Amino acid sequence: MAIALRIKGPDGVERRLDVERNKVTIGANPLCDVTIADPGVDTEQCVLVERGDAVELFDIGESGGVLVNGKPVGHVEVSPGDEIWVGGTVLSLVAEATAVSFSETVSTVREQISAPTPAAIRSPVPRDQRFALLDKVEQLIRSIGTDENVFEAILDTVFSSAEVRRGFIALLGPKGELRVKAHRSREHGTTASERIDVSRTLMGKVIESGTAVLTSDAEADPNFSAAQSIHRLRIKAAICVPLIVEGKVIGLLYGDNRERPGSLTRDHLSILTALASVAAVAVEKFRLLKEYDEKRKIEQALAIARTIQRNFLPAHPPEIQGLEVWDRSDS
């Protein structure tokens, strides 16, 4: 089961998101599948649920305000082509396949690929670019927990700092599935809505080992020469870095170039490793913020319940003939 969405923000920039499950959450909370930084959008504004061949939308926000084809709705079935307005963002269902497709696992690949290949060419990043990158990383760290979509901002930095033509950030779900949080393709002749095909072999090795992989010429690399998916997908150079929190792999940052071997180097590996650390910090902070928010909601609910309970209690202890009330409890 999967739900594919085309998302157009208030700035007119269009992107695509594929969620590999039958539910998509939409709201201002950074942990939602679709985060919308709009003052009029609730923390959790609405959900899309796939049921059989249909997709249904439920507006669960306190303020309402979700429009489908210009009309306010609470619960409605939506189809590809319907415009779903949440704040200033427009979403629509996409009928095609997923944006990031993980190609078949190739069992003949047994070599350890936890280290960059010796053939990797070192192309030093200019000094001024290094300082600019450090400044950008600092900005990204400061932005965590705000309304900014930090995953999109990280991909912006990846594409501006390395010769990456395709890339994505994905988090591991509870069953080990990869859930894409942001993706991009700048290959010639492609559009933002086209899917990205990547090698499951490479992904699996990074998740297994918890170590970053760099290959400057994947088709010639002995570590990948047996992987049919590498040749079929024409991957020339690739970097895959794990997102790690407390020693556990929670996701991946991936970038590749299918146009030029040698385009990605050890310097680029260092850049993506630093950005993967920012993404991991963001995920952990979002988790803590969500826990705090849920705890606050529980405390508010308990306070309301206590108030209701007190309203049912008499204002004064009852006077019962032959009995004396020594004390009472309002808890």
Side-chain angles (χ1 to χ4, degrees), residues 109-117 199 201-206 209 211-215 221-225 230 240:
V109 176
R110 297 188 178 90
E111 295 86 356
Q112 179 62 34
I113 55 174
S114 60
T117 61
S199 170
T201 301
L202 194 154
M203 305 293 108
K205 287 294 183 180
V206 173
S209 66
T211 312
V213 169
L214 161 67
T215 177
D221 189 336
N223 289 318
F224 294 98
S225 59
I230 293 290
C240 187

Side-chain angles (χ1 to χ4, degrees), residues 15-17 33 100 149-153 155 167-170 179-184 196 252-253:
R15 64 187 179 94
R16 174 172 166 156
L17 174 73
D33 297 305
V100 177
N149 189 331
V150 70
F151 299 121
E152 290 288 343
L155 279 187
F168 67 87
I169 297 173
R179 298 177 176 179
V180 177
K181 301 299 292 184
H183 84 283
R184 196 163 303 168
I196 298 175
L252 299 169
L253 171 57

Side-chain angles (χ1 to χ4, degrees), residues 77-151:
E77 184 177 317
V78 291
S79 304
D82 288 339
E83 289 191 342
I84 304 166
W85 285 81
V86 182
T89 298
V90 185
L91 306 94
S92 59
L93 293 176
V94 180
E96 311 101 77
T98 58
V100 177
S101 173
F102 304 103
S103 294
E104 76 281 358
T105 302
V106 182
S107 61
T108 53
V109 176
R110 297 188 178 90
E111 295 86 356
Q112 179 62 34
I113 55 174
S114 60
T117 61
I121 304 168
R122 184 172 183 83
S123 177
V125 175
R127 185 182 179 87
D128 58 342
Q129 189 177 336
R130 286 173 183 262
F131 283 120
L133 181 62
L134 286 172
D135 183 57
K136 182 59 181 176
V137 169
E138 185 181 349
Q139 291 176 29
L140 288 170
I141 292 172
R142 286 201 303 267
S143 75
I144 296 172
T146 68
D147 289 333
E148 180 179 351
N149 189 331
V150 70
F151 299 121

Side-chain angles (χ1 to χ4, degrees), residues 1 9 36 52 85-86 117 173 190 218 267 313:
M1 291 184 179
I36 298 178
W85 285 81
V86 182
T117 61
T190 64
D267 277 345
L313 295 173

